[in-house]
């Protein structure tokens, strides 16, 4: 029987956690939440909607709402369902959703929450309208405009008008506005280069707004900034520079992966139990917290290699700063909240983009040997696996 086991208990000291474990320093997390709330008060005409794909955790999403967020973004239907089940009542799926089963799931969510999502094709708009009609709901649709990411979205021209008019012509969908997102800009290092890239996004966004206006289509909603990773931060974001050329410091590192040293070759290397299945390497290797002299190397699925070994000994715990927080979080079932080296809370990561497997036990009076031959009269327990 499969179950998701917690790695520690509330009240434990951190050193009692089984590793690898995903930890968040609660005081640092709270500082980031408060900092974002303070920053956004300078822009009363702008609402911020953090992206849940960074944490996939409804409990953390609720904290973001308490600190001024207008709702949450989700990139996948799984994330959206988890947030609604966790009590979040305003969700924007900043992505296209296709396929009959998924569209019906989206429409069913609109029974419990305000749901909006992106579109960039007429067929998808028609399908969303049909799904919404079956559930007697209305969906808010946001036309996605390609402003440089070259991923989804139509070019900022007549196609934007065409899609907006298509939405307006159907009874169970509403034209909400446009999405103008270029996520690559978040990883441009210098302020000067980033400003030039953002200016291009602004120019294309204005072009899309103008053509809508020229066609008497009111568009009061435009979205596109990246606002998810501020709660955690990671190695990649720490490489961005501020106006003085120093690493950005508005938000602090709160997310860590805890690993344990399981082997040491003195002077050469130490081996952790945290490998590819514990930290994402898509944006580079993690950093070792508190030690600038040691470097993490990929050691495979279950191993991370630290060179040199420094003063590490077998059994020591090492705190890693993930290279990319989003996919690292997606590897875990729980966020372990830590304050003053004690476990204060355990938050389930229910929006993970993985297939959940449900096992049930069925008694059979039949036995199959290794060749598949049946031997009647022998009782065994069959684990029936259902993909849900």
């Amino acid at each position: 029987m499969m179950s998701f086991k917690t790695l520690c208990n509330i009240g434990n000291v951190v050193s009692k956690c089984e590793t690898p474990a995903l930890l968040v320093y609660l005081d640092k997390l709270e500082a980031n939440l408060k900092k974002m709330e303070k920053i956004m008060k300078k822009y009363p005409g702008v609402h911020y909607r953090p992206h849940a794909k960074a944490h996939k955790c409804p409990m953390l999403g609720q904290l973001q709402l308490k600190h001024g967020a207008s709702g949450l973004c989700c990139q996948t239907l799984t994330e959206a369902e988890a947030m609604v089940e966790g009590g979040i009542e305003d969700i924007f799926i900043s992505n296209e959703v296709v396929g009959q089963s998924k569209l019906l799931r989206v429409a069913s969510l609109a029974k419990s929450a305000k749901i909006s999502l992106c579109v960039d094709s007429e067929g998808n708009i028609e399908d969303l309208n049909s799904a919404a009609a079956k559930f007697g709901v209305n969906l808010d649709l946001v036309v996605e405009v390609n402003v440089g990411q070259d991923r989804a979205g139509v070019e900022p021209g007549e196609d934007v008008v065409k899609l907006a008019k298509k939405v307006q012509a159907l009874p169970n969908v509403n034209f909400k506005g446009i999405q103008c997102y270029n996520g690559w800009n978040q990883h441009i290092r210098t302020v000067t280069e980033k400003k030039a890239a953002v200016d291009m996004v602004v120019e294309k966004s204005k072009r899309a707004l103008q053509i809508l206006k020229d066609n008497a289509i009111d568009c009061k909603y435009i979205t596109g900034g990246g606002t998810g990773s501020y709660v955690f931060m990671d190695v990649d974001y720490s490489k961005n520079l501020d106006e003085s050329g120093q690493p950005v410091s508005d938000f602090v590192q709160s997310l860590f992966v805890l690993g344990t040293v399981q082997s040491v070759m003195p002077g050469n290397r130490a081996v952790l139990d945290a490998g590819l299945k514990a930290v994402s390497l898509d944006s580079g290797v993690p950093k070792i917290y508190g030690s600038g002299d040691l470097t993490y190397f990929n050691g495979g699925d279950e191993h991370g290699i630290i060179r040199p070994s420094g003063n590490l000994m077998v059994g020591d715990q090492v705190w890693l700063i993930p290279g990319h927080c989003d996919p690292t979080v997606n590897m875990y079932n729980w966020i372990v909240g830590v304050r003053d080296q004690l476990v204060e809370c355990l938050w389930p990561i229910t929006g993970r983009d993985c297939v959940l497997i449900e096992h049930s036990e069925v008694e059979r009076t039949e036995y199959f040997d290794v060749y598949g031959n049946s031997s009647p009269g022998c009782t065994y327990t069959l684990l029936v696996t259902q993909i849900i």
Side-chain angles (χ1 to χ4, degrees):
M1 184 72 72
M2 192 192 79
S3 63
F4 289 142
K5 297 180 179 178
T6 57
L7 303 175
C8 52
N9 295 313
I10 292 174
N12 284 164
V13 294
V14 177
S15 59
K16 295 292 185 181
C17 288
E18 293 184 18
T19 60
L22 187 72
L23 310 182
V24 64
Y25 265 122
L26 294 172
D27 56 347
K28 296 179 184 293
L29 173 73
E30 290 160 1
N32 289 340
L33 290 166
K34 292 175 182 177
K35 186 61 178 288
M36 178 61 84
E37 185 175 22
K38 181 179 180 181
I39 289 173
M40 293 310 298
K41 284 182 179 178
K42 301 176 184 177
Y43 309 97
V46 179
H47 299 282
Y48 74 102
R49 182 187 292 270
H51 216 310
K53 74 185 181 76
H55 54 73
K56 304 168 181 66
C57 174
M59 298 182 77
L60 211 164
Q62 291 285 5
L63 287 177
Q64 291 175 311
L65 294 179
K66 289 179 181 178
H67 285 84
S70 61
L72 292 183
C73 287
C74 294
Q75 197 70 356
T76 70
L77 182 53
T78 302
E79 292 168 0
E81 288 171 329
M83 296 305 126
V84 173
E85 289 167 2
I88 311 296
E89 297 180 348
D90 192 332
I91 298 293
F92 170 45
I93 302 175
S94 54
N95 198 2
E96 286 70 27
V97 177
V98 300
Q100 182 68 10
S101 62
K102 285 187 176 182
L103 296 181
L104 292 174
R105 286 162 60 192
V106 167
S108 71
L109 285 181
K111 285 282 192 179
S112 305
K114 183 178 180 181
I115 302 294
S116 53
L117 67 159
C118 284
V119 292
D120 65 0
S121 70
E122 290 191 76
N124 189 218
I125 292 170
E126 292 172 353
D127 291 342
L128 282 162
N129 180 73
S130 297
K134 288 182 179 180
F135 281 86
V137 298
N138 281 78
L139 296 170
D140 289 337
L141 302 188
V142 177
V143 173
E144 182 155 16
V145 182
N146 179 23
V147 292
Q149 181 104 348
D150 289 337
R151 196 166 60 184
V154 296
E155 297 304 310
E158 290 294 336
D159 284 342
V160 178
V161 175
K162 185 178 180 181
L163 292 179
K165 287 184 175 179
K166 182 68 174 181
V167 176
Q168 291 179 330
L170 297 172
N172 287 89
V173 289
N174 308 310
F175 174 65
K176 183 175 183 178
I178 58 175
Q179 169 165 280
C180 301
Y181 175 74
N182 188 349
W184 302 129
N185 290 354
Q186 298 176 69
H187 308 285
I188 297 174
R189 303 308 177 198
T190 70
V191 171
T192 301
E193 292 174 316
K194 183 171 290 187
K195 183 180 184 305
V198 171
D199 285 347
M200 290 180 62
V201 172
V202 171
E203 189 276 326
K204 291 184 177 183
S205 301
K206 287 182 175 179
R207 196 187 312 167
L209 288 170
Q210 185 61 50
I211 197 167
L212 287 169
K213 183 178 180 181
D214 292 344
N215 284 270
I217 299 174
D218 191 25
C219 183
K220 296 181 179 179
Y221 182 88
I222 179 170
T223 185
T227 56
S229 301
Y230 75 95
V231 289
F232 291 149
M233 302 302 288
D234 54 33
V235 172
D236 188 81
Y237 277 107
S238 72
K239 294 177 182 177
N240 290 344
L241 306 177
D242 61 21
E243 293 182 350
S244 66
Q246 298 300 310
V248 293
S249 57
D250 285 334
F251 301 99
V252 295
Q253 185 66 41
S254 70
L255 185 76
F256 301 87
V257 169
L258 186 65
T260 301
V261 177
Q262 58 188 43
S263 178
V264 175
M265 299 294 112
N268 183 289
R269 66 187 183 276
V271 181
L272 293 179
D273 60 356
L276 286 169
K277 294 179 181 178
V279 285
S280 172
L281 303 185
D282 66 299
S283 294
V285 298
K287 282 188 176 180
I288 300 165
Y289 183 60
S291 179
D293 299 329
L294 306 180
T295 302
Y296 180 101
F297 293 87
N298 175 17
D301 287 0
E302 315 293 351
H303 299 87
I305 298 172
I306 297 177
R307 297 183 186 274
S309 62
N311 297 320
L312 292 173
M313 301 176 63
V314 172
D316 285 350
Q317 291 185 330
V318 175
W319 293 67
L320 301 174
I321 301 174
H324 188 183
C325 56
D326 299 17
T328 295
V329 170
N330 198 53
M331 299 177 183
Y332 292 85
N333 297 318
W334 299 91
I335 296 173
V336 180
V338 177
R339 196 187 306 273
D340 297 327
Q341 297 302 308
L342 294 177
V343 176
E344 183 174 302
C345 57
L346 295 167
W347 292 335
I349 306 172
T350 56
R352 289 180 62 202
D353 295 319
C354 63
V355 176
L356 298 180
I357 300 177
E358 183 179 78
H359 292 318
S360 58
E361 293 185 353
V362 180
E363 290 292 325
R364 296 282 181 85
T365 56
E366 194 174 40
Y367 173 75
F368 291 88
D369 63 21
V370 293
Y371 301 104
N373 299 316
S374 175
S375 300
C378 298
T379 301
Y380 75 108
T381 299
L382 172 68
L383 287 178
V384 178
T385 303
Q386 178 184 5
I387 306 300
I388 59 174

